[in-house]
Amino acid sequence: METVEGDAGFTTAPLVLGPMLRYVSTTSATVWVETSRPGTVEVLGHRASTFSVRGRHFALVIIEGLEPASVIPYEVRFDDDLVWPQPDSELPPSVIRTLGHGDVDLLIGSCRAAAPHEKPYTLELAFDDRGRGIDTMRAHAKRMVYDPPEKWPVAMLLVGDQIYADDSSPSTKERIEATRPDADELPPSLVADFDEYCWLYHEAWSPTFERWLFSVVPTLMIFDDHDVIDDWNISASWVTEMSGESWWEAHAVGSVMSYWIYQHLGNQSPEQIRADGLLDRLVEANEASQLLESWARSVNDDPTTYQFSFSRHIGEVKVVVVDGRHARVLDGSTRRMVNEGEWQWICDEALEPTRHVVLATTLPVFIAPGLHDLMVWNERVCEGAWSRYAIGWGEKIRRSLDLEDWSAFGDSYTEFAQLIERITGGSDAPSSTVVASGDIHFSYVARVAIGGSASRVYQVVSSPIRNALIPPERGVMRFTLTTAGARIGAALRRLTRRRPSAVPIDMIAGPHFANNMVLVRYRGDDVGVIIEQSTDDEDDGPALVVVDDISL
């Protein structure tokens, strides 16, 4: 199966991208692929026809009737030809590990910039402006090759910025420069439409080790701002400005089309896919470009018409993934992180009795008090607390400092804290509640002083997989964690006559700024966290170093 570059930048081999193992339960699984032409994909005797969007072809194979607690090797056939594993591959076989084993290891990460795995791209950004450091996901994949399947993560939770649509990868940037008109108003760092979004996903998910990792570890994904554009939906004025740009509609519609195909489709269970019906309509249409584009435009126009938040049971762990970007309400008089209907659904899912709860949201909820109060102050200024003349000044500060965490949405922050209290306050409270987040380019674990005494609550932040801050930026973030930072934030908050609202936290691990991922380990009622940073092993490429290993 020779790999050859085609006109659109994709390989002309039958299997362009994937297989990606997405949903797995005790008896079912889904496998996603992209192919080079229309056809039929088969996995473990289950078949699915492709659907086509702008010359690209995709399929999701739904596999049911599997044995619980089993390790099942699988191959992928396309029109009856074997296309996976690749010829002469020395990697372990791709397998589906159905749930039922008991223990759960959940690997969490965010903020992964795509770039070649060679110098200067493997250098830190501080040493070369092309540098992104060592890819932590790649390091995990290389270690897994030597481990038996029972040591692999049960699932991988990717909480935002799987691609950088506003900071294109090197290959995509070259392709844009080669294909766009010289007079195009967009810089090559910003993708324009669906086609260019596809290039980003292809570059991010094609390397050999990462591609194998995706074929054996189920993934849960949610988008954050850089999957679309920096500061996406940060405020009502930002939305108004973007809507006035001639290029915005194609960029925004392309983001939803590509996100649904590459990320959201695999988040759903077989039952949810059938109830949703969109996949069936795309397959029935065969050439589905117009159908998907029309759907994406309507969803962009009214985010309440489609829900990207989702949930999944992973053994005795209930993971509820919150869309805090597309589902925002920013109509001037109302400012919410999630619209009311979707928030009610999130509450209902999170309150379902279970042993452990994970609330996944790309932006951290419980942060250092100084940073929390800074965001509270800024929201008040942007509301006019310092007169209408200061609103524009406050908005500039909001965007330049990325003041957009849950603390910057005061009402939603309060609702989130109230939800935690409801989850942990009853007689059937879970043993642990973890708020899993990314976005801020450093990792930490904090004990959160909220809820009933019988349930432990923690904020776990995992960022970045591959896109570390430079030292001056790290210094600024460290300062927000200090007593001095807290005092400055509190002083600013008082100037807007706001009472304290931050839930107290106790930092018990971190902050860690180098490229890293966090592994949360569930063993009965016990929960542990391992934070591993990626480094360069001169003999064997990417490697991992444990920087924190704690019991919660």
Side-chain angles (χ1 to χ4, degrees), residues 69-141:
S70 300
V71 179
I72 307 164
Y74 73 91
E75 299 174 333
V76 180
R77 295 186 175 274
F78 182 62
D79 288 343
D80 297 323
D81 294 328
L82 181 66
V83 295
W84 184 271
Q86 294 178 317
D88 304 321
S89 173
E90 297 181 357
L91 296 172
S94 295
V95 299
I96 298 171
R97 290 172 298 147
T98 52
L99 300 180
H101 297 276
D103 297 343
V104 171
D105 288 351
L106 183 62
L107 185 62
I108 305 172
S110 69
C111 309
R112 180 172 178 259
H117 298 100
E118 59 189 35
K119 293 181 179 179
Y121 304 104
T122 53
L123 298 174
E124 292 290 335
L125 185 60
F127 302 110
D128 193 293
D129 60 7
R130 295 164 293 179
R132 293 295 181 266
I134 304 297
D135 189 338
T136 317
M137 185 184 293
R138 185 177 180 86
H140 272 280

Side-chain angles (χ1 to χ4, degrees), residues 45-63:
H46 297 260
R47 299 164 70 88
S49 299
T50 60
F51 64 92
S52 302
V53 179
R54 296 189 181 173
R56 293 168 174 82
H57 316 283
F58 310 93
L60 186 80
V61 183
I62 296 175
I63 306 158

Side-chain angles (χ1 to χ4, degrees), residues 390-542:
I391 292 175
W393 174 69
E395 180 67 20
K396 288 180 181 178
I397 293 176
R398 170 187 274 165
R399 298 189 200 179
S400 62
L401 298 181
D402 291 333
L403 302 181
E404 55 177 341
D405 293 355
W406 285 77
S407 300
F409 290 73
D411 292 342
S412 293
Y413 178 88
T414 299
E415 288 182 344
F416 202 108
Q418 291 171 344
L419 173 59
I420 297 289
E421 289 178 337
R422 293 173 64 192
I423 292 171
T424 59
S427 59
D428 57 352
S431 295
S432 74
T433 300
V434 167
V435 181
S437 307
D439 180 73
I440 57 177
H441 295 264
F442 66 92
S443 293
Y444 66 88
V445 180
R447 186 180 291 108
V448 182
I450 195 173
S453 59
S455 184
R456 301 157 291 173
V457 181
Y458 297 91
Q459 172 75 70
V460 175
V461 177
S462 181
S463 173
I465 296 174
R466 191 188 190 191
N467 201 10
L469 299 174
I470 59 176
E473 294 171 328
R474 298 182 189 190
V476 171
M477 298 307 296
R478 286 186 189 277
F479 179 75
T480 67
L481 305 174
T482 65
T483 301
R487 288 173 177 168
I488 292 172
L492 287 171
R493 172 183 50 74
R494 286 193 294 268
L495 289 174
T496 61
R497 300 182 179 180
R498 267 294 172 94
R499 298 177 63 184
S501 60
V503 174
I505 65 171
D506 176 22
M507 193 87 72
I508 58 177
H512 299 293
F513 290 88
N515 292 337
N516 67 89
M517 295 184 78
V518 174
L519 186 71
V520 182
R521 310 190 74 191
Y522 295 92
R523 301 291 184 271
D525 287 333
D526 297 330
V527 186
V529 172
I530 300 173
I531 303 178
E532 293 177 289
Q533 292 179 347
S534 54
T535 185
D536 189 12
D537 183 330
E538 293 294 336
D539 296 326
D540 198 31

Side-chain angles (χ1 to χ4, degrees), residues 366-378:
F366 302 109
I367 58 179
L371 187 56
H372 172 89
D373 282 341
L374 177 64
M375 294 193 190
V376 171
W377 163 80
N378 178 258

Side-chain angles (χ1 to χ4, degrees), residues 328-363:
R328 290 182 181 181
V329 179
L330 302 163
D331 63 5
S333 60
T334 304
R335 179 175 163 84
R336 295 178 55 90
M337 186 70 85
V338 181
N339 67 66
E340 290 187 17
E342 194 156 329
W343 179 250
Q344 184 58 58
W345 179 90
I346 290 164
C347 292
D348 292 343
E349 290 291 310
L351 290 166
E352 181 182 272
T354 187
R355 195 169 197 172
H356 299 281
V357 171
V358 175
L359 297 173
T361 168
T362 60
L363 296 157

